[in-house]
Amino acid sequence: MNHVSANLTLYNGVKISGLGFGVWQISPLHTAKCVRTAIKAGYRNIDTAEGYMNEKGVGEGVRQAMEEYGLKREEIFVSTKLWNSHRGYDKAMKAFEELYRDGRIKAIGVSNFLAHHVQALTEDSDIKPMVNQIEYHVGFGQVKSAEYCQANGIVVEAWSPLGSGGVLRNGELNRIAGKYGKSAAQICIRWLLQKNIVPLPKSTHEKYIMENADVFDFSISEEDMTAIDRIPYCGGMMFDPDSARS
Ligand code: A2P
């Protein structure tokens, strides 16, 4: 069984794998199988949310993989998220901090926080989040938010690291991918890894799940990193947390 490498250490000392597997939009029926396949492919960081309706499948997939591959629970990092509207923002934040203090969760994080949200939160709470998960992909690099978090010791994770698949058709990206003998998806993922951002690619296909984890045997040159930075918007949600309603 493979093992993807590149661990990151959260500011509280907890280590997480620098590459995760996202399960947004994977149907509850297929989730366990996809998670098992991902763990087989070497992923040790699985990202779900209450609102994805597939937390149960994630649990089943993790359990099956532990049995099948002889892994311990602590070798697999699982993230989930409370929806703001479910509990109320203040209550949810308090609940996160209490669970963390009780030792029932290893780390707390936020999602879709822009730099000014992170700043407001850290002024207002006792425990600074360890992770902020934002939309970040080729053509939509939220540089300001990512840099603010990283400067403050908060690990940035990227949801939709492939721009929901849309960016993979971009000509410039494919030209660069060809130079390295890699797929456009692998370039998207590697580009994020080199920025110390944790990509959370989602796929339901074993071939893609494996391909997306096979990104540790090459590196993108600085010149090509800059060329990729310059690719204009070419897919993905372009989610704006400031105007979003929940
Ligand atoms: P599928 O789920 O059918 O395998 P993101 O992670 O940015 O949200 O992108 C997910 C989308 O990209 C899904 O539609 C997924 O397809 C597709 N995808 C994931 N990995 C690859 C890959 N290596 N090559 C092509 N498409 C991919």
Side-chain angles (χ1 to χ4, degrees):
M1 192 180 32
N2 296 332
H3 241 281
V4 296
S5 47
N7 283 335
L8 290 178
T9 305
L10 306 180
Y11 78 75
N12 64 347
V14 169
K15 286 198 180 354
I16 64 164
S17 170
L19 170 66
F21 180 65
V23 300
W24 181 50
Q25 288 183 331
I26 299 186
S27 83
L29 273 181
H30 295 121
T31 306
K33 183 167 181 274
C34 291
V35 166
R36 208 174 64 223
T37 304
I39 293 171
K40 181 179 167 200
Y43 297 78
R44 293 292 179 271
N45 177 351
I46 314 290
D47 181 76
T48 183
E50 182 188 15
Y52 302 174
M53 314 291 274
N54 56 19
E55 283 176 314
K56 198 162 169 252
V58 170
E60 277 165 20
V62 168
R63 253 191 309 277
Q64 288 167 9
M66 281 165 55
E67 242 182 71
E68 203 165 332
Y69 309 120
L71 295 167
K72 294 197 192 85
R73 176 61 188 86
E74 53 270 29
E75 290 177 77
I76 304 164
F77 194 89
V78 177
S79 306
T80 192
K81 310 174 200 85
L82 282 179
W83 236 236
N84 287 348
S85 54
H86 192 166
R87 304 202 44 159
Y89 180 84
D90 291 336
K91 271 197 200 156
M93 280 303 160
K94 211 167 167 335
F96 272 138
E97 291 189 1
E98 278 169 17
L99 287 170
Y100 180 68
R101 282 204 188 91
D102 289 351
R104 295 182 64 200
I105 54 177
K106 294 221 182 285
I108 47 179
V110 291
S111 191
N112 297 318
F113 272 45
L114 302 180
H116 61 281
H117 304 135
V118 178
Q119 190 178 7
L121 175 69
T122 45
E123 282 165 9
D124 215 34
S125 58
D126 296 338
I127 304 169
K128 189 170 70 170
M130 283 117 219
V131 174
N132 182 20
Q133 190 181 118
I134 54 177
E135 181 180 1
Y136 201 118
H137 50 77
V138 169
F140 191 64
Q142 302 204 69
V143 179
K144 197 173 148 216
S145 296
E147 284 183 350
Y148 182 85
C149 286
Q150 291 181 336
N152 284 282
I154 298 170
V155 166
V156 178
E157 295 185 334
W159 59 262
S160 268
L162 311 175
S164 312
V167 307
L168 304 179
R169 291 185 292 272
N170 180 269
E172 174 70 347
L173 185 66
N174 279 282
R175 184 191 67 78
I176 294 170
K179 263 174 68 173
Y180 292 87
K182 293 286 173 184
S183 71
Q186 288 170 318
I187 295 293
C188 286
I189 293 165
R190 184 72 209 182
W191 174 75
L192 287 161
L193 291 173
Q194 288 183 214
K195 292 176 183 292
N196 281 322
I197 295 176
V198 180
L200 303 169
K202 168 254 175 186
S203 176
T204 50
H205 294 94
E206 182 160 3
K207 176 180 176 286
Y208 292 160
I209 292 173
M210 310 266 292
E211 178 183 312
N212 296 345
D214 183 16
V215 288
F216 294 96
D217 61 349
F218 76 110
S219 59
I220 303 172
S221 72
E222 257 182 56
E223 192 190 341
D224 288 331
M225 286 293 287
T226 308
I228 299 167
D229 287 344
R230 292 196 180 124
I231 295 176
Y233 173 78
C234 52
M237 279 182 71
M238 251 185 158
F239 178 69
D240 175 14
D242 273 330
S243 59
R245 306 271 177 273
S246 62

